Structures are given as structure tokens and as C-alpha cells.
Amino acid sequence: MRRVVCLAAFLLGSAASAQVLESVRAGFPASGETVGPKPVFKVLVDGTDVHKMRFKIELSRDDFDTIDRTIDQTKDENGWAFLLAGDEWGGAFRTREPLGHGAWSWRAYAWNGVDWVKAEDEGTFVVDAVPPADVEGVDMRIDRREQVVHLRWTPVNTDREGRPERVAKYKVYRYQKKSFFFSIRAFELGETDRTWFEDRDPQALVTPLVFYKIVAEDEAGNEEGRRY
């Protein structure tokens, strides 16, 4: 019996010593970053046997007077992935439940096999959950000789609640109906960071019914839902 106990203790000691955690860092979102309502968090670590480590994230809206959400990989693996990108090692978590609009604080932990080790730093980020305002002033000009539809529109500078907005790109959708019996179908033609677009698909000029919708997407990835 004594030999079995000693062997078990030796094996546990070997497993613990193989996994060495030197540091933990809150990688992304970085402090001051603006993200969408479902950000991907990155917890970065230095050590050995990193792929065996587990991670935890705490989120707060009042600088940790209250913890609004705890995401613990040891209790739920869903949404977590091992992170290996260049010199970055650790864990990544893709948010499943959207975060509310406004400022958030977060801190990270890594499990070293014995206890939780807190990150050296804490992060503060801003969630932008409001999409840009509707695109207006859309103008369409058809050039049948060149077989192209020219689209232009007014730049978007505010979100749907009237606050200043930074638009990253515009997505162009074309809606068409090939016959009376077919429902209208939409597909994304392309995207641009300008306020004009050229549709050179010849189908645009031979389909009985065609119309376009331009949707702005902000730097946080917010895009207003499609409407027919």
C-alpha cells in the first residue's frame, strides 16, 4: 500500500512540475479598444505545457465593484479555443451572449494546476452595439452601352441613435426577381470604403426586377439587418 501511495504522489508531482506558468496577460481587447457586442477575448501566457492550461475571464461595468459575468473554462469548455499565433500562446474565448453598449473592464486568470494566477494587467474596452444609420441619397445610373450600373450615396457619419460614427465600409446588396412566380432573392455584391460602386454583372440589366440596398458597417462590425 505504501508503494502505491508513493508512486501516486510521484506521478502527481511530475504532472504539476511539467506545467509551469510564468506570466498571464490580458491580450485582447486591449485597453481603449472599441469592439462589437460579441468580442473574442484572448488570454496570453508564458510557460510550459501551455496547451494544458485553462482560463477564466471576469467582466465588470463598474470597475469591478461588481462582477457582471464570469467565464470559467474549467466549468464550461464551450466557446474556448487554444490560441497559437506567432509568439502568442494562451486561450481565446468567443462571446456567445452579446455584451451591452458602453464601457467594460475585464481581467484574466490562468489555472496552473493548483490555483488561479491573475493577469499582470486589467483591460478596459468599449462595446459598440449600435449600427450606423441608414444609407441615404442612393443614386442609380444605368449605362447600357458599357453594361454597368453606377451607384452613389451620401456618406454616413452617425449611428442609429444620432451619435458620431466611424464607418469602416459599405456593403452593397442586390435584390432581384426573375419571374412573377419566384420570390425576391438577395445577395451581397461586394463592399467598398468609398461612397460609390459599379455593378458590372450583366444579369442586373436583363432581370425583370432589380433593386439595391447599401448598408454601412462600422469599425466594430455592426451592420443593420437586411430589409427587403
Side-chain angles (χ1 to χ4, degrees):
M1 180 63 69
R2 181 177 300 174
R3 292 180 59 189
V4 174
V5 173
C6 290
L7 179 59
F10 173 78
L11 292 175
L12 289 173
S14 298
S17 62
Q19 184 176 324
V20 177
L21 183 57
E22 298 175 359
S23 67
V24 185
R25 305 184 306 281
F28 182 86
S31 286
E33 193 88 22
T34 297
V35 299
K38 290 187 175 182
V40 175
F41 291 90
K42 295 180 181 180
V43 183
L44 307 179
V45 295
D46 292 316
T48 58
D49 277 358
V50 175
H51 64 283
K52 296 180 181 178
M53 295 180 186
R54 294 296 180 265
F55 306 95
K56 181 171 68 173
I57 294 169
E58 292 178 340
L59 299 171
S60 174
R61 304 205 67 168
D62 55 13
D63 199 23
F64 293 108
D65 288 337
T66 304
I67 296 177
D68 290 82
R69 192 177 301 185
T70 299
I71 305 164
D72 188 339
Q73 189 181 10
T74 64
K75 297 180 179 179
D76 187 357
E77 290 275 357
N78 291 328
W80 286 96
F82 176 64
L83 174 64
L84 172 57
D87 295 331
E88 294 185 344
W89 295 72
F93 178 79
R94 180 176 295 278
T95 309
R96 290 172 290 175
E97 297 296 329
L99 302 178
H101 188 90
W104 287 82
S105 299
W106 78 290
R107 56 194 180 196
Y109 301 80
W111 178 256
N112 65 3
V114 179
D115 53 22
W116 289 107
V117 178
K118 185 180 175 182
E120 301 168 354
D121 53 355
E122 296 178 356
T124 301
F125 61 95
V126 176
V127 171
D128 181 357
V130 181
D134 290 337
V135 175
E136 297 181 345
V138 179
D139 178 71
M140 181 177 68
R141 182 173 62 84
I142 300 175
D143 186 336
R144 295 193 177 277
R145 183 174 64 86
E146 296 291 336
Q147 294 290 290
V148 59
V149 178
H150 298 274
L151 299 167
R152 292 186 178 275
W153 55 88
T154 303
V156 175
N157 299 311
T158 61
D159 66 16
R160 292 191 63 81
E161 296 181 359
R163 292 183 292 258
E165 179 69 281
R166 293 176 62 89
V167 170
K169 58 187 174 183
Y170 297 90
K171 291 186 176 180
V172 181
Y173 295 96
R174 188 173 72 201
Y175 299 78
Q176 61 188 59
K177 186 175 181 181
K178 293 185 177 181
S179 76
F180 178 80
F181 299 101
F182 295 154
S183 61
I184 294 177
R185 294 184 177 182
F187 61 92
E188 182 181 336
L189 279 178
E191 57 186 44
T192 177
D193 58 359
R194 303 177 180 180
T195 56
W196 57 270
F197 187 85
E198 294 180 346
D199 182 4
R200 295 185 173 274
D201 184 352
Q203 289 296 319
L205 299 179
V206 299
T207 304
L209 177 62
V210 175
F211 59 98
Y212 298 88
K213 182 173 179 61
I214 317 298
V215 181
E217 181 178 306
D218 63 22
E219 294 179 335
N222 295 304
E223 175 191 350
E224 183 65 20
R226 299 181 187 180
R227 295 201 307 272
Y228 290 95

